[in-house]
């Protein structure tokens, strides 16, 4: 996608897109999809992708008036088991969102316009293939948590099979390198098998907001002037180091060979950011939550704030280390929490989907995307 094409994007997020940053909606749910809210954000506000979240199902399928109730009745009437019903709900939302973003996908020749959806807390390639078949849209990406013990192999295998992946929960620079290597190796395997590399997409997501929050919590405990001076800096420092690694990889011979075969770079995404203007660099994405009134607020921007700043990022983490705040320890803590949270989320989602009991009906129809 060219700079001219990006600059032509309309809506509140056009300046962000003009800087090479793809704005994604974080956490679209059935209510927004059914009301046409996502389609409106795509057409009029400049949203370029969507990150679905299975966790919204944990609270939603509870009563007859819920947005998911009609589909749950439909599935229950046919004796569909809870696990299968859960995957049907996810696939339905993903189809809806993919259709809303298909114009972006087509206009950018598959570079943007993707939707990522969950296939489970520890998805294997077979789970990813099942989700892709169920959604049956070209712009679907399967989420793979980087904290899963099988994550790297799943990424390699999925990419080799031309299944797009959104790798989430990447906290450390080391883990990012492993994920990037898995993507590159998967592309090489796909090429060796005779597959076209055109259209294979991947996103690597760093929850920089959670990194910053955890570090600020530790700094608040210290309470010294030196600690206070570093509050709010850790997330961006991590992003600066990761973006440098991203650029370094794109400048190597290994990537040049894949690019010549039609491969596109793995997009680096920042999530949980409070000040978007601090995470601007070409070839990245940012996950943005909905604001008041189901809108995304205009963004103040100051141009590229990540390129060429790797030394500044390392200086911040060096100063944190001298205060006893270790990057490695912070990342391990967040990885452990993430794994536990994922297990809890999927347990609650399965319980919520299996819990409703609906009155018997003779005829049911469900009008979601086919």
């Amino acid at each position: 996608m060219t700079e001219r094409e990006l600059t032509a994007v309309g809506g509140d997020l056009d300046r962000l897109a003009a800087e090479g940053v793809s704005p994604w909606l974080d956490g679209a749910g059935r209510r927004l999809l059914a009301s046409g809210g996502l389609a409106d954000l795509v057409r009029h506000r400049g949203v370029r992708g969507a990150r679905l979240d299975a966790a919204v199902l944990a609270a939603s399928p509870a009563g007859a008036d819920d947005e998911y109730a009609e589909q749950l009745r439909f599935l229950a009437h046919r004796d569909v088991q809870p696990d299968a019903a859960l995957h049907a709900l996810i696939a339905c939302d993903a189809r809806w969102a993919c259709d809303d973003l298909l114009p972006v996908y087509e206009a950018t020749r598959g570079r943007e316009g993707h939707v990522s959806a969950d296939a489970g807390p520890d998805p294997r390639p077979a789970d990813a293939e099942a989700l892709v078949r169920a959604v049956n849209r070209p712009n679907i990406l399967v989420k793979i948590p980087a904290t899963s013990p099988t994550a790297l192999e799943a990424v390699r295998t999925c990419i080799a099979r031309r299944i797009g992946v959104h790798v989430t929960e990447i906290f450390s620079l080391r883990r990012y390198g492993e994920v990037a290597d898995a993507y590159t190796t998967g592309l090489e395997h796909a090429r060796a098998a005779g597959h076209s590399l055109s259209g294979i997409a991947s996103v690597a997501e760093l929850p920089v907001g959670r990194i910053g929050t955890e570090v600020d919590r530790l700094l608040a405990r210290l309470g010294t002037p030196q600690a206070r001076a570093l509050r709010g800096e850790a997330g961006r420092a991590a992003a600066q180091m990761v973006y440098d690694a991203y650029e370094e990889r794109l400048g190597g011979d290994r990537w040049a060979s894949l690019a010549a075969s039609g491969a596109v770079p793995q997009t680096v995404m920042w999530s949980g950011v409070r000040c978007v203007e601090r995470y601007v660099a070409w070839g990245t994405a940012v996950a943005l939550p909905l604001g008041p009134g189901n809108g995304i607020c205009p963004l103040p921007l100051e141009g590229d704030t990540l390129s060429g700043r790797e030394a500044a990022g390392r200086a911040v983490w060096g100063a944190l280390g001298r205060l006893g705040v270790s990057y490695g320890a912070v990342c391990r803590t967040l990885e452990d929490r993430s794994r536990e949270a994922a297990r809890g989320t999927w347990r609650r989602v399965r319980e919520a989907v299996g819990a409703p009991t609906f009155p018997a009906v003779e005829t049911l129809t469900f009008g979601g995307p086919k």
Side-chain angles (χ1 to χ4, degrees), residues 2 5 23 39 47 75 80 90-91 100 106-107 117 123-124 132-133 135 151 159 197 200 238 251 261 272 304 334 363:
T2 67
E5 288 172 321
V47 167
L75 296 168
V80 175
I90 292 171
D100 288 344
E106 292 176 339
R124 309 299 174 96
V132 168
R133 285 196 302 270
V135 176
I159 294 300
L197 302 189
I200 302 178
S261 299
D304 189 320
L334 292 173
T363 304

Side-chain angles (χ1 to χ4, degrees), residues 175-192:
R175 195 60 159 172
Y176 166 72
E178 293 172 344
V179 169
D181 280 341
Y183 176 59
T184 303
T185 302
L187 289 172
E188 291 168 339
H189 289 172
R191 183 173 60 182

Side-chain angles (χ1 to χ4, degrees), residues 53-205:
D53 189 354
V56 301
L57 294 168
S60 293
D65 295 329
D66 183 81
E67 292 81 9
Y68 293 94
E70 181 184 1
Q71 188 179 4
L72 281 171
R73 287 195 191 95
F74 182 86
L75 296 168
H77 186 61
R78 285 154 178 77
D79 296 323
V80 175
Q81 296 303 302
D83 268 6
L86 167 58
H87 290 294
L89 296 178
I90 292 171
C92 180
D93 283 357
R95 283 193 294 272
W96 221 322
C98 283
D99 288 346
D100 288 344
L101 278 152
L102 189 60
V104 176
Y105 179 82
E106 292 176 339
T108 61
R109 299 184 291 278
R111 187 67 181 87
E112 295 187 275
H114 295 96
V115 173
S116 69
D118 297 273
D122 183 18
R124 309 299 174 96
D127 301 318
E129 287 181 323
L131 177 60
V132 168
R133 285 196 302 270
V135 176
N136 193 29
R137 300 294 190 272
N139 50 335
I140 183 65
L141 301 181
V142 180
K143 287 187 193 175
I144 298 178
T147 53
S148 162
T150 61
L152 298 177
E153 182 56 35
V155 171
R156 284 190 291 267
T157 302
C158 286
I159 294 300
R161 296 177 184 176
R162 305 191 82 254
I163 297 172
V165 297
H166 177 172
V167 189
T168 63
E169 309 299 294
I170 303 171
F171 295 101
S172 69
L173 178 61
R174 178 188 61 81
R175 195 60 159 172
Y176 166 72
E178 293 172 344
V179 169
D181 280 341
Y183 176 59
T184 303
T185 302
L187 289 172
E188 291 168 339
H189 289 172
R191 183 173 60 182
H195 299 311
S196 168
L197 302 189
S198 176
I200 302 178
S202 180
V203 173
E205 178 187 340

